[in-house]
Amino acid sequence: MDEKANKGKEVKEEVAQETPKNPERRSLLKAGVVLGAAGIGGALGLKATDIEAAGKTGNLSAHVGPGDLDDYYGFWSGGHSGEIRIMGIPSGRELKRIPVFNYDAAYGWGTTNFSKSLLGDKRSGDTHHVHLSYNDGIYDGKYAFVNDKAQARLARIRLDTFVTDTITEIPNAQGTHGIFPSRNKLDAVYCNSEFRIPLPNDGKDMLDPKKYGALHTCIDAKSMKPRWQVLVDGNMDLCATDYHGKYSMAISYNSEGGVTLNEMIASDRDWLIVFNLAKIEADIKRGKGTTYGSSKVKVLDGRKGSPYTIYIPVPKSPHGVNVDPTGRYAVCAGKLSPTVSVVDLEKVDQAFAGKIKPRDCVVAEPEVGIGPLHTAFDNRGNAYTSIFIDSVITKWNIAKAIKGENPIVHKIDIHYQVGHINASMSETKEADGKWVISLNKFSKDRFLPVGPFRNENEQLIDISGEEMRVVHDVATHPEPHDAVIARRDLFRPEKVWNNNDSRFDLERNLAKKYGVKDLMTAAKVVRDGKHVYVFMTGIAPNFSLNEFTVKKGDTVTLVVTNGDKVEDLSHGICVSHHDVNFGVSPQETASATFKVPNKGVFWFYCPWFCHALHLEMRGRMIVT
Ligand code: CUK
Ligand code: CUA
């Protein structure tokens, strides 16, 4: 490996020198990103284009006819939009955008008092990883979780109503990136902080990166409160859990602890860190651990040599870690090494007990292509690894890799530069081997050009046969980071809100305080000093109030309930010139609070086309 690594360095320099002055996009990308990867291990000698059609391809169709429903829900990370998106698979139809860390006028996310209570004054996020809650290795249909890398937060989305219900700030963390929930039951969500920072980050030790640290955080999946944190070496990237609640795992690069690019990629090997959850929980229960700054969350020291962790060496600046549907193997993608490392989780206990070396848990390390990032699985013992630099997906057989045979089954070109990949039900024990989605970072020539900021491309791949087959290009908004494809029968979304839902507690309390008996029929204006509370109901095509009067300089809280019980009949309210606009779906209540700085007449209106007389569904706010 040493020799290869040195060779890698030479090639890196060569590549840098060879970068042309006006490089074509693809070559620029290769030169810029390949860095240490190009030379290590050399070329595989097997190009996608060289592969002869050796077997049968599947014959699944992405066509979902008018009126027909998709077989799967897709849960898509919205990347730097800060939202998540719900897709129909295999059609690729975008069904819904769920605002999470972002502002969204359609739903009034960032406007309503409920959403503001979660967001504070932040309006942006960077979502990377969406995962669903599990019971016994299968999605339980209750929640989705998503990280915000930008501001170190974790959000929970309810899947009865497909709305964000909690956002948790992770203490002592920056760049919260990989997350993964427990797979045995609804228990915890493990979150990796990628960036090493001074602990506490209060102005001390800023120029001494050796003292920086990164924490692996356990968030309770029910309360969404942090339970504990563990300090580690390196920068954590992707996260995974086993199927039994014994381990969480973190890929860790920059074992060097460097702060510049060259420092960060100096070592041949970094790690898969495995956390011994029982040991950690037991010591936390005993009151062990320290705290940093104002956070009360206990932190255990899990750096190398601690009883809480083992550090399994894997090459090189690794990126993804994915556990196969049998639960036995964790596959670590090499990124700057053309290999994937197969870790046998059944050996991990022996490594914790000191009976074998951590590296002995690695049972195979096949070469799969230049720049491997993430791996998905079918139900026939095959793995599918996304290869960023080669722009291919490599299908390889896990058992063959372990036996030391050539494991490569097929490679397929994708367009272009795939990041994440996932397969239908891949992260459950019911992986079904039907579809792979390739989430590509570049679309280049695949769609009509739309200016310098292009859409990106996702390709749906039929994996039901021996060979893969691209069946569909789906243009997507930047940036598709990760996605989960889950069978539709696992979800039972509500059609109408339950008007007793705890989500409306704030509005219900206001109603109680100001003598409004029933929000479903409310029509009341109450003044409390300089604050005016306006309660109204929308039932198509009317608001229960045609007008209300306030005074210049007042603060207004507008509580609006959709009194209709008819499925699909949304209303909303938009107050002209006051930056207030939010929707309410059937039996939902929401509120917004705003200032009225100027005298005048301001029409409020329903912005959702709810009725033939929708345009007439409006009234006046009179400011005297
Ligand atoms: S990371 Cu985006 S390609 Cu944030 Cu999951 Cu690998
Ligand atoms: Cu109600 Cu339009």
Side-chain angles (χ1 to χ4, degrees):
M1 203 58 213
D2 282 347
E3 230 187 276
K4 285 175 180 172
N6 286 335
K7 210 166 140 201
K9 274 181 199 153
E10 285 165 29
V11 173
K12 179 173 59 183
E13 277 149 28
E14 271 172 38
V15 171
Q17 282 164 11
E18 277 172 10
T19 305
K21 280 215 178 100
N22 259 323
E24 180 254 301
R25 193 175 182 189
R26 188 166 178 138
S27 62
L28 171 69
L29 193 82
K30 279 205 168 187
V33 183
V34 80
L35 292 171
I40 302 172
L44 199 59
L46 192 60
K47 284 249 168 64
T49 43
D50 296 341
I51 308 233
E52 296 288 319
K56 275 207 345 256
T57 56
N59 59 0
L60 300 179
S61 169
H63 182 70
V64 177
D68 288 344
L69 301 179
D70 281 290
D71 294 331
Y72 300 89
Y73 282 96
F75 296 84
W76 250 241
S77 161
H80 21 74
S81 74
E83 65 195 2
I84 73 173
R85 302 184 188 123
I86 307 300
M87 311 285 283
I89 299 296
S91 72
R93 293 165 178 163
E94 186 181 282
L95 305 179
K96 187 173 197 174
R97 296 179 173 192
I98 302 176
V100 185
F101 301 110
N102 54 322
Y103 169 78
D104 187 315
Y107 301 101
W109 197 250
T111 299
T112 61
N113 289 319
F114 180 84
S115 60
K116 282 182 165 172
S117 75
L118 303 190
L119 293 167
D121 45 22
K122 295 183 175 127
R123 289 292 176 276
S124 74
D126 179 17
T127 61
H128 282 236
H129 302 112
V130 185
H131 292 291
L132 310 184
S133 55
Y134 289 81
N135 187 43
D136 194 19
I138 292 293
Y139 300 131
D140 66 1
K142 287 192 179 142
Y143 298 112
F145 302 99
V146 68
N147 74 306
D148 167 24
K149 181 169 173 176
Q151 340 226 32
R153 291 177 293 178
L154 178 74
R156 187 174 73 184
I157 288 89
R158 293 166 54 162
L159 297 182
D160 59 346
T161 46
F162 285 66
V163 295
T164 304
D165 83 330
T166 320
I167 293 179
T168 300
E169 294 200 16
I170 299 175
N172 306 312
Q174 258 176 46
T176 293
H177 189 201
I179 63 160
F180 215 99
S182 318
R183 280 195 241 221
N184 54 327
K185 60 179 182 186
L186 183 66
D187 179 24
V189 184
Y190 302 93
C191 307
N192 290 340
S193 54
E194 186 164 347
F195 303 146
R196 297 166 62 81
I197 53 171
L199 294 165
N201 194 14
D202 59 0
K204 275 175 234 137
D205 300 330
M206 292 195 290
L207 300 179
D208 192 358
K210 288 271 168 288
K211 290 195 181 148
Y212 294 3
L215 304 180
H216 182 69
T217 301
C218 171
I219 304 280
D220 188 284
K222 290 182 192 139
S223 69
M224 287 295 283
K225 299 242 159 58
R227 226 190 261 165
W228 47 257
Q229 301 186 291
V230 173
L231 175 67
V232 300
D233 291 308
N235 291 43
M236 284 175 290
D237 205 351
L238 274 288
C239 188
T241 57
D242 70 338
Y243 275 78
H244 311 291
K246 281 176 79 175
Y247 313 118
S248 61
M249 287 162 250
I251 278 286
S252 175
Y253 67 97
N254 190 19
S255 51
E256 304 85 346
V259 290
T260 67
L261 179 61
N262 281 339
E263 286 167 13
M264 289 189 222
I265 63 170
S267 297
D268 273 354
R269 281 182 183 162
D270 299 276
W271 304 297
L272 175 70
I273 307 175
V274 185
F275 298 85
N276 185 333
L277 297 176
K279 179 93 187 120
I280 293 168
E281 296 275 358
D283 278 1
I284 288 290
K285 234 184 195 163
R286 263 182 233 126
K288 283 202 178 178
T290 178
T291 60
Y292 295 121
S294 57
S295 164
K296 301 222 158 39
V297 181
K298 281 282 168 73
V299 183
L300 295 172
D301 187 344
R303 287 177 295 181
K304 267 188 120 173
S306 98
Y308 308 117
T309 49
I310 54 168
Y311 286 69
I312 301 175
V314 291
K316 170 190 182 170
S317 296
H319 184 58
V321 52
N322 300 90
V323 174
D324 84 318
T326 71
R328 176 147 184 194
Y329 300 110
V331 175
C332 309
K335 193 171 79 185
L336 301 192
S337 159
T339 55
V340 285
S341 306
V342 181
V343 172
D344 185 347
L345 295 175
E346 288 183 3
K347 298 197 168 188
V348 164
D349 273 348
Q350 287 169 267
F352 266 110
K355 289 182 189 147
I356 57 171
K357 288 203 179 114
R359 175 69 193 172
D360 296 336
C361 298
V362 176
V363 291
E365 208 152 72
E367 291 196 358
V368 291
I370 309 286
L373 291 185
H374 298 280
T375 301
F377 305 94
D378 64 19
N379 51 353
R380 303 179 292 276
N382 299 306
Y384 301 78
T385 300
S386 61
I387 315 287
F388 179 78
I389 293 165
D390 283 348
S391 271
V392 303
I393 287 166
T394 300
K395 175 180 178 182
W396 55 280
N397 184 274
I398 299 171
K400 281 191 175 173
I402 293 169
K403 277 190 225 145
E405 296 168 12
N406 175 11
I408 307 295
V409 181
H410 184 220
K411 290 188 170 199
I412 191 167
D413 278 316
I414 54 81
H415 310 86
Y416 302 89
Q417 259 78 37
V418 54
H420 265 279
I421 179 178
N422 220 330
S424 41
M425 298 294 288
S426 172
E427 293 176 309
T428 74
K429 49 183 200 188
E430 292 182 7
D432 64 12
K434 289 196 174 148
W435 297 107
V436 148
I437 188 80
S438 174
L439 304 159
N440 307 326
K441 302 294 189 189
F442 296 86
S443 68
K444 300 187 187 188
D445 47 9
R446 302 298 276 190
F447 305 106
L448 292 175
V450 288
F453 258 135
R454 297 241 180 144
N455 55 289
E456 287 162 14
N457 188 22
E458 300 173 339
Q459 292 186 299
L460 192 68
I461 299 171
D462 175 357
I463 57 164
S464 64
E466 185 70 359
E467 295 197 344
M468 297 171 276
R469 188 173 60 99
V470 173
V471 298
H472 198 24
D473 276 7
V474 185
T476 190
H477 298 263
E479 165 172 353
H481 260 291
D482 196 6
V484 166
I485 301 172
R487 260 181 10 235
R488 73 178 193 208
D489 63 278
L490 298 170
F491 306 92
R492 291 267 178 282
E494 301 290 346
K495 294 180 173 162
V496 171
W497 276 94
N498 174 347
N499 59 36
N500 280 320
D501 199 282
S502 61
R503 191 180 185 83
F504 318 135
D505 280 352
L506 186 139
E507 288 79 12
R508 249 197 309 273
N509 289 339
L510 287 176
K512 212 171 173 189
K513 183 170 176 191
Y514 293 110
V516 174
K517 283 210 188 81
D518 185 0
L519 285 168
M520 289 299 138
T521 54
K524 190 166 186 177
V525 182
V526 191
R527 173 171 287 281
D528 186 348
K530 290 198 61 111
H531 201 140
V532 180
Y533 295 86
V534 180
F535 297 89
M536 66 169 104
T537 306
I539 296 178
N542 291 298
F543 286 116
S544 59
L545 292 172
N546 281 327
E547 59 175 68
F548 61 89
T549 303
V550 296
K551 289 194 189 122
K552 177 183 161 174
D554 279 344
T555 298
V556 176
T557 294
L558 196 52
V559 181
V560 180
T561 300
N562 183 336
D564 278 303
K565 291 185 179 147
V566 182
E567 189 184 328
D568 205 7
L569 208 169
S570 290
H571 301 293
I573 193 160
C574 181
V575 184
S576 302
H577 295 289
H578 285 76
D579 204 20
V580 169
N581 185 2
F582 59 92
V584 276
S585 44
Q587 299 287 288
E588 182 181 12
T589 296
S591 66
T593 299
F594 58 100
K595 295 249 185 231
V596 280
N598 298 308
K599 286 186 202 168
V601 169
F602 301 95
W603 285 94
F604 58 85
Y605 64 93
C606 170
W608 292 71
F609 210 110
C610 53
H611 190 275
L613 294 172
H614 150 77
L615 290 171
E616 287 80 356
M617 188 170 173
R618 57 189 165 109
R620 287 171 303 156
M621 176 174 77
I622 296 164
V623 186
T624 61

